[in-house]
Amino acid sequence: MVSTAMTPKLNLFNAQDVANTLWALATLGYQDSAFLIKLVAQTRLKLQDADFNPQNMANSAWALAVLGHYDSRFLYELTDRAKPKLPSFSAQNVSNLAWSLATFSLLEEGLMAQLQEQEGLMAQFQEQLLSLKSSTPQHVATTALSMAKLGCPLNPALGSALATGQPGSFSTKDVCDLAWAQAVSGNPQQPWLLALVLGHVFGEGEGEGGGDLEGLDPDFKVQLFQYTSEVMEGDQEGLREQLAGEEGAQLQLLHASCQGVWEERVQSKSSTATTYVDSVTQVCNQLPGWEVLGQERLTDDKLYSMSVAVQVQPQSGQGKPMKVAVEVVGPRHYSRSTPYKQLGASAAKDRALERRGWSVLSVPFFEWAADKEEEEKKVFLTKALAALKYKNIVGNASQKASKAEETVA
């Protein structure tokens, strides 16, 4: 076996050797956990070498992500070493490293902020994107997708240069990844992005969608449904001119054609409640004024599912009850690294529920430990509800102030 022959010689490997070996194992899909542990240990030793260059770093991280081998100590040391070298990373290096961190849900905030600057730098990677031979739509889309998954903020213009100058160079996956990333990050209202998406889906040129909506991959439809939803439910002021014409009709058609797949996904995921959800529901039922409407309940438009839908009566007994979506949030919705941060898709769902009139009360897995007493859990939910009420009061006051300013203006 390869691992048997190589193990005795690992101590002789230099920086390039270990990085190349990791890359080769990932490319071949070669799985040997015992050997991989030893190889990663040797790679850690080489991280300090001056010749462990950006490509070695990016390839090593990419290889571990492909192989599904999570070594927190190695990855933290690698990202720490990468920070000062980011200015010398190529677009491919940036893309591979960002994708690797997203695959592991590893949010190293200092690094990710620099990655956005490195790739977006807008002076080098954004404004000069067309002139950099190593930069492609795939690099931009993959990096944007990775950062959005991690819940990192994206520059609204990320991808605009290529989308405007070379729209035909985008694959369907590139378009869908970029649209989803900007939507999840709260930046869907970009004229250039709408033109790219609709031009690709309804265009007739080589490499474009050609209007074959039914032929779109279901996963792409899910991404595009989220994008079109964010556009249609958000502030359309910057898109008013585009949406007044044919593009408005195309957006509606694209949204409608993707909705069926989205609904199927949502309903299949909401069919059963977990013991975690059962535990939260049990405590909700014991709180005064809390009426549980159901577990895994769908919103009125059937587009989103809530872990536990609750109606909370006002303490005074007067006024409307408060609609609360108690979202039971497991580990896969948070970064693997601590302090835990909610990932992008989960945060986007919360925004969608809020737009539908639900106040979202998150119950993170690390706040609902099995060893907590029931009274502690009651206190947690009660305090979380109080925080939500305060947030709503502040939000309503802010909206009134904004409307008053518009009236005066």
Side-chain angles (χ1 to χ4, degrees):
M1 293 178 63
V2 173
S3 56
T4 303
M6 296 180 71
T7 299
K9 300 178 181 180
L10 282 179
N11 63 323
L12 302 176
F13 279 31
N14 60 28
Q16 192 69 52
D17 294 335
V18 291
N20 285 353
T21 303
L22 281 171
W23 178 86
L25 294 179
T27 302
L28 295 172
Y30 185 83
Q31 294 283 356
D32 185 333
S33 297
F35 175 67
L36 196 55
I37 290 172
K38 295 174 183 177
L39 178 58
V40 171
Q42 181 65 15
T43 308
R44 277 189 56 242
L45 296 177
K46 298 302 175 184
L47 279 176
Q48 308 306 318
D49 291 0
D51 58 349
F52 202 89
N53 58 42
Q55 184 172 352
N56 295 153
M57 294 177 181
N59 285 353
S60 296
W62 175 85
L64 293 186
V66 170
L67 293 170
H69 183 83
Y70 179 67
D71 186 315
S72 59
R73 185 178 179 184
F74 172 77
L75 288 169
Y76 277 116
E77 289 185 15
L78 184 147
T79 53
D80 188 59
R81 288 285 293 166
K83 291 176 186 178
K85 295 186 177 183
L86 281 178
S88 61
F89 272 49
S90 69
Q92 184 70 61
N93 297 153
V94 171
S95 175
N96 282 352
L97 185 53
W99 178 84
S100 304
L101 297 178
T103 299
F104 286 123
S105 297
L106 183 68
L107 184 65
E108 215 293 293
E109 290 195 339
L111 175 71
M112 292 308 294
Q114 290 187 56
L115 276 177
Q116 183 183 3
E117 181 181 356
Q118 163 66 13
E119 149 201 322
L121 261 184
M122 298 304 154
Q124 175 182 345
F125 194 75
Q126 188 76 29
E127 294 175 3
Q128 298 181 18
L129 202 55
L130 291 175
S131 63
L132 293 175
K133 294 181 179 179
S134 62
S135 298
T136 67
Q138 183 180 3
H139 294 149
V140 173
T142 299
T143 306
L145 178 75
S146 301
M147 296 182 70
K149 283 183 176 180
L150 289 170
C152 297
L154 285 182
N155 189 306
L158 185 60
S160 62
L162 273 177
T164 303
Q166 301 177 18
S169 64
F170 281 76
S171 69
T172 300
K173 185 178 188 308
D174 295 335
V175 171
C176 294
D177 284 349
L178 186 57
W180 182 88
Q182 290 289 10
V184 165
S185 298
N187 304 318
Q189 317 291 351
Q190 308 303 318
W192 64 266
L193 184 58
L194 181 65
L196 175 68
V197 171
L198 298 181
H200 187 90
V201 173
F202 294 98
E204 299 177 355
E206 183 179 352
E208 297 181 340
D212 183 17
L213 295 180
E214 296 305 317
L216 277 175
D217 183 276
D219 289 339
F220 294 155
K221 284 191 173 184
V222 167
Q223 289 179 307
L224 290 175
F225 181 79
Q226 287 185 271
Y227 165 70
T228 55
S229 295
E230 290 282 344
V231 172
M232 295 168 65
E233 295 173 13
D235 181 7
Q236 299 179 1
E237 182 62 32
L239 301 175
R240 181 172 297 179
E241 185 175 339
Q242 283 176 284
L243 296 180
E246 183 183 7
E247 287 177 300
Q250 289 178 338
L251 178 68
Q252 294 282 352
L253 178 58
L254 177 58
H255 181 76
S257 69
C258 296
Q259 183 168 332
V261 175
W262 174 266
E263 288 180 348
E264 288 177 8
R265 297 278 179 97
V266 171
Q267 291 174 23
S268 66
K269 291 179 180 178
S270 65
S271 58
T272 57
T274 64
T275 54
Y276 182 10
V277 173
D278 288 338
S279 171
V280 174
T281 304
Q282 183 179 356
V283 178
C284 288
N285 274 319
Q286 297 177 38
L287 294 174
W290 289 47
E291 178 189 356
V292 175
L293 303 177
Q295 294 180 335
E296 300 303 336
R297 182 186 174 107
L298 296 174
T299 52
D300 291 342
D301 57 9
K302 311 298 183 186
L303 297 180
Y304 295 91
S305 172
M306 297 168 282
S307 301
V308 188
V310 175
Q311 187 170 262
V312 181
Q313 298 297 331
Q315 292 181 336
S316 63
Q318 298 179 347
K320 294 182 179 180
M322 183 178 180
K323 293 165 58 180
V324 180
V326 181
E327 284 297 282
V328 179
V329 194
R332 67 187 181 88
H333 297 288
Y334 283 91
S335 61
R336 189 191 294 254
S337 51
T338 54
Y340 296 112
K341 179 177 179 179
Q342 188 179 26
L343 298 180
S346 181
K349 179 188 175 184
D350 288 352
R351 294 198 303 270
L353 289 174
E354 289 172 351
R355 290 197 297 268
R356 284 158 176 77
W358 292 88
S359 296
V360 179
L361 191 160
S362 294
V363 183
F365 70 97
F366 50 87
E367 295 283 6
W368 201 262
D371 58 353
K372 275 192 175 182
E373 297 292 334
E374 196 162 274
E375 285 304 315
E376 292 181 276
K377 294 177 178 179
K378 289 181 181 179
V379 170
F380 170 79
L381 289 178
T382 302
K383 287 184 175 179
L385 179 65
L388 269 182
K389 289 180 177 179
Y390 178 75
K391 175 185 175 183
N392 289 346
I393 292 173
V394 172
N396 291 336
S398 178
Q399 287 181 0
K400 289 180 180 179
S402 297
K403 288 182 179 179
E405 290 178 3
E406 290 176 2
T407 302
V408 172

